[in-house]
Amino acid sequence: MSNPFLEPSTLDYQLPPFAAIRDEHYLPAFDAGFAEHLAEIDSITGSGEPASFENTLVALERAGGTLDRVARVFFSNSVSHATEAVQELEQQIAPRVAEHEDNVLLNRALFERLRQVPVDGLDEESARLVEEYLRRFVRAGAELDDDAQATLRRLNAELSALSTEFSQKLLKDTNDSALLLGTAEELDGLSADAISAAATAASDAGHPGKYLLTLILPTAQPALESLTDRDVRRRLHEASVTRGARGNDADTLAVAVRMTALRAERAALLGFDTHAAAATDNQTAPSLEAIMDRMRELAAPAVRNARAEAAELEAEAGHAIEPWDWAYYAAKVRKAKFDVDLEALRPYFELERVLQDGVFYAAHRLYGLSFTERPDLAGYHPDVRVWEVFNEDGSGLGLFLGDFYTRDTKKGGAWMNSFVDQSRLEGTRAVVINNLNISMPGAGEPTLLSYDQVVTLFHEFGHALHGLFSDVTFPLFAGTSVPRDFVEYPSQVNEMWILWPEVIAHYARHHETGEALPQDVIDRLHAAGAWGEGFETTAYLGATLLDLAWHSLPAGTVIEDPLAFEAAALADAGVDFAPVPPRYRTSYFSHIFAGGYAASYYAYIWSEMLDADTVEWFKSSGGLTRENGDHFRRELLSRGNGIDPLEAFRRFRGRDAELQPLLVRRGLA
């Protein structure tokens, strides 16, 4: 059988031919891809013609097709469907990819040729491409001497291997830490569909007749809001916060410590004081100091609000609040203060209806999009579904894939990936996927979402829209290829449509009766919107400041006890409020040790400043209208990184973002 990666896919939109892909195709395709890419680069550097934009930059953008095709599929599968075979392959492939990237970015002949490319007369995106390539080569170490580059290669190779190790160990320990219960009585408080899902999970794991509460990636586990048995809540919480730190063969702490040390050493080699300084040097935030100042500015009022919330919870509970009590009593206080019971809303949030009549409907109203499911196009797993997305004029925009259910081979959390980037140069349109981790219901039962899962569905589709709407010439700038502290902004904006009157009236209907969610309930949801922001902001800032603490260590620092370091970092930052642990602890902080967010987890709240300001613009400009959608799409969502993202924001908004809307939203004004 021929290797399907060696030629561009002939499927619609160049969707990877998943039905033809086998594990044995990956290594030969990577081998061929590495060789092809290096040969193409040799052709660029060996040209006898003077360096020009066409024969250097355009040629470089066109290079590496085979490698790009196989890498996108393989590394998507390494987090979405990480079978034992894929994990074994990743251990071999990841260091070789790091080595190949160094072979490209440390290529002195290529760097020198890039520096010779004249920029006079180039259009805005082309001039930015030259600037971006030069910046990337310098940041990758192209100007270092041979000895320093050799050290850099060693560091990059080890970091790549360690990132894979962290990810695989965390997946194993997350699966192993799921809470197995023997009786349905221990699940008292959970809905019937949640109990059924726990029974299905236990049966699938080889424990028929029992119940398995699987873990999601963040500290807070959804079942804690409903479980009436306090000891079961405690056990579930402790299972969550001890993942990766249990001293077993899946312990991740030593890996995390080693990674932070290597990152610090690499940053020093590249001329930075710390990895945090290096990672934030090319973001939209003006400086690391500005980031730290903003996080500390938010921390004190956030913790103050969390303490006030805790006092209300203790009054309700009649005892001191432990971390495993918070969600349970917060639900009771929310019910008492606002008459809002989030668990009671689940029958109104059936997955298919929320997706079709909520997420897709909002995109139709705002941007004129329509969606047609394509069962003739296969995904990489039977759970994956494929939709073709059309513009209002009927032209094809791209493909959207959805992989919504959890499984043992999928890492926790939710994310968007791209299988094909839009590019006018290559004539390609976007193929993107959203991954969630929703529990599979029992056979024949509906998939009912929590309110948080509805938020996640809208959020991740905001990332998908950012990819689908890309309208750039060069692949390097496509879609979500923007600074880390900007990329969350479009996805956060898309959350605003969840409770928008025309949208929620269209999707929030009881899955059995078809009854619409009553307007008075929606009104109470709005009223309760700021309740709990003390907890949410404190938990988020705890993770953010922990990330920055790990990556502000100078080279040569030795951390003997990572958990003691974690506790001290939270205390030093003023976010060590015991009932509110950080959203992620070191041992399961996949974002920063296996996900590209090292020293960048601050990006969520930095992006939220733009988001909150944009929501105010939509509200003051008429809301869910085609005119507003077209303006947002044209000036911002379509731009990718083809222009400075903050300049794109200014063209959309007419000015820089203001902080006040965020402070009001978070209850910090």
Side-chain angles (χ1 to χ4, degrees), residues 30 63 295 325 354 389 438 466 486 507 520 579 591 649 663:
F30 272 106
M295 296 307 110
D325 295 320
V354 176
V389 187
I438 301 167
H466 200 185
F486 190 86
Y507 75 83
D520 65 314
H591 282 75
F649 181 87
L663 297 179

Side-chain angles (χ1 to χ4, degrees), residues 175 180 199-208 212 214 408:
N175 289 336
L180 184 65
T200 299
S203 180
D204 290 347
H207 305 288
L212 191 67
T214 58
D408 286 349

Side-chain angles (χ1 to χ4, degrees), residues 345-362 449-451 453-455 457-458 494-511 514-517 522 525:
L345 301 181
R346 287 168 56 89
Y348 293 88
F349 297 150
E350 190 271 323
L351 171 61
E352 194 67 15
R353 184 126 204 178
V354 176
L355 181 67
Q356 301 279 357
D357 296 341
V359 174
F360 289 173
Y361 175 73
L449 306 182
S450 68
Y451 183 73
Q453 288 170 331
V454 174
V455 173
L457 198 63
F458 274 83
N494 205 54
E495 296 175 23
M496 74 172 290
W497 308 117
I498 295 168
L499 296 180
W500 198 261
E502 300 100 307
V503 178
I504 192 168
H506 204 248
Y507 75 83
R509 294 182 175 272
H510 197 284
H511 72 100
E515 173 196 6
L517 185 65
I522 298 170
L525 274 172

